[in-house]
């Protein structure tokens, strides 16, 4: 059974801090790993990673995948209160081309 | 409105009643997915439609749950004889086609919050 575990489950920081969110996975026939940000309702897409060691970057957010050790990290530098959200990690694999298996999420709270 | 839309945004029903949840995917997206998110939990896959192929129903929790996608666009998730444990947010997503050579991200709608009393 595919499995995704995120850590920490929750994190409280102050504006300007840098945070690292972790995602480890077990999946047969790995295809991709995705990060989403969920504020109130719809998760919004951040990154999709398919290759090891290639950093994806968007502004203050970056992410990298290690397919040998089966994990990914999401970094947020110079955090802002608007970064407060649940960050979801998901993997695609197995026999389904579409199904995503999600972790339980990391709740990030950024205080002013 | 270029995003995925869902209706209703909230639904309160009594135990034992049937409910229908609707999803309008992004225009041109051939793949459509349903997930549910219970309080404090991650998203749980329910079902996946890809074009005219048979849907992947492997995530449906019981035979009370069914979904259809008419004309390759709008989808309806039906829950019959609702139970209190069905209370959750039901999220729909859509994407371009998936396959051995394509790996497209899923875009989510705002969800329908279902409360079964």
């Amino acid at each position: 059974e595919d499995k995704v575990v995120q850590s920490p489950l929750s994190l409280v920081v102050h504006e300007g801090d840098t945070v690292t969110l972790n995602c480890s996975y077990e999946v047969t026939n790995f295809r991709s790993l995705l990060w989403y940000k969920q504020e109130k309702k719809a998760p919004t897409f951040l990154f999709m990673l398919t290759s090891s060691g290639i950093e994806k970057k968007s502004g203050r957010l970056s992410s990298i995948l290690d397919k040998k050790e089966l994990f990914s990290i999401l970094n947020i530098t110079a955090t802002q209160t608007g970064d407060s959200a649940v960050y979801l990690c998901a993997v695609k694999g197995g026999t389904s081309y579409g199904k995503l298996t999600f972790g339980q999420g990391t709740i990030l709270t950024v205080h002013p | 409105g270029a995003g995925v839309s869902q209706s209703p945004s909230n639904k309160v029903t009594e135990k034992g009643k049937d409910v229908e949840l609707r999803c309008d995917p992004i225009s041109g997206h051939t793949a459509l997915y349903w997930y549910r998110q219970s309080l404090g939990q991650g998203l749980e896959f329910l079902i996946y439609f890809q074009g005219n192929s048979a849907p992947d129903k492997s995530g449906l929790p019981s035979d009370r749950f069914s979904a259809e996608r008419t004309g390759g666009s709008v989808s309806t998730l039906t829950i019959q004889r609702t139970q209190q444990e069905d209370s959750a947010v039901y999220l729909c997503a859509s994407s371009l086609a998936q396959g051995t050579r394509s790996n497209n991200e899923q875009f989510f709608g705002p969800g329908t919050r279902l409360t079964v009393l």
Side-chain angles (χ1 to χ4, degrees):
Chain A
E1 184 180 331
D2 299 344
K3 189 175 177 183
V4 178
V5 176
Q6 293 186 244
S7 65
L9 293 181
S10 66
L11 190 56
V12 180
V13 299
H14 287 93
E15 273 192 320
D17 289 348
T18 293
V19 298
T20 298
L21 309 183
N22 303 292
C23 175
S24 63
Y25 63 90
E26 296 175 21
V27 63
T28 54
N29 193 25
F30 173 89
R31 292 195 176 85
S32 58
L33 183 145
L34 294 88
W35 285 96
Y36 286 86
K37 177 182 181 182
Q38 186 176 30
E39 293 179 81
K40 293 200 173 163
K41 290 192 172 179
T44 54
F45 172 77
L46 295 175
F47 298 112
M48 181 165 68
L49 303 152
T50 56
S51 301
S52 272
I54 299 174
E55 185 183 53
K56 293 252 180 140
K57 196 170 172 64
S58 176
R60 296 176 294 101
L61 278 66
S62 63
S63 183
I64 197 160
L65 174 67
D66 185 328
K67 289 168 73 174
K68 182 179 177 185
E69 299 298 330
L70 308 181
F71 79 90
S72 173
I73 59 172
L74 176 68
N75 278 319
I76 309 175
T77 59
T79 51
Q80 302 172 358
T81 55
D83 295 327
S84 297
V86 178
Y87 289 84
L88 299 167
C89 174
V91 293
K92 187 193 298 183
T95 56
S96 172
Y97 290 115
K99 171 187 173 182
L100 289 177
T101 300
F102 280 83
Q104 67 273 58
T106 293
I107 303 171
L108 174 65
T109 304
V110 182
H111 288 309
Chain B
V4 177
S5 60
Q6 292 186 243
S7 61
S9 55
N10 283 284
K11 176 73 177 177
V12 180
T13 191
E14 293 179 348
K15 179 181 172 182
K17 301 279 189 184
D18 297 352
V19 295
E20 284 190 353
L21 312 179
R22 177 187 167 104
C23 172
D24 279 276
I26 293 171
S27 178
H29 280 188
T30 57
L32 185 146
Y33 318 78
W34 284 97
Y35 295 85
R36 74 175 174 182
Q37 188 172 32
S38 302
L39 190 63
Q41 301 295 313
L43 277 71
E44 174 191 6
F45 169 79
L46 296 177
I47 188 169
Y48 154 54
F49 296 90
Q50 171 65 70
N52 294 322
S53 303
D56 175 357
K57 303 180 183 180
S58 60
L60 294 178
S62 78
D63 58 8
R64 296 186 296 104
F65 287 72
S66 63
E68 61 179 27
R69 189 177 184 195
T70 53
S73 181
V74 171
S75 176
T76 302
L77 177 69
T78 301
I79 309 173
Q80 295 178 309
R81 306 181 300 283
T82 52
Q83 304 293 314
Q84 288 183 331
E85 60 263 29
D86 299 334
S87 296
V89 176
Y90 289 82
L91 290 156
C92 175
S94 71
S95 76
L96 296 173
Q98 307 284 9
T100 53
R101 296 183 187 277
S102 52
N103 213 350
N104 294 299
E105 61 267 30
Q106 298 176 22
F107 295 90
F108 284 83
T112 293
R113 180 176 297 279
L114 174 66
T115 303
V116 182
L117 301 176

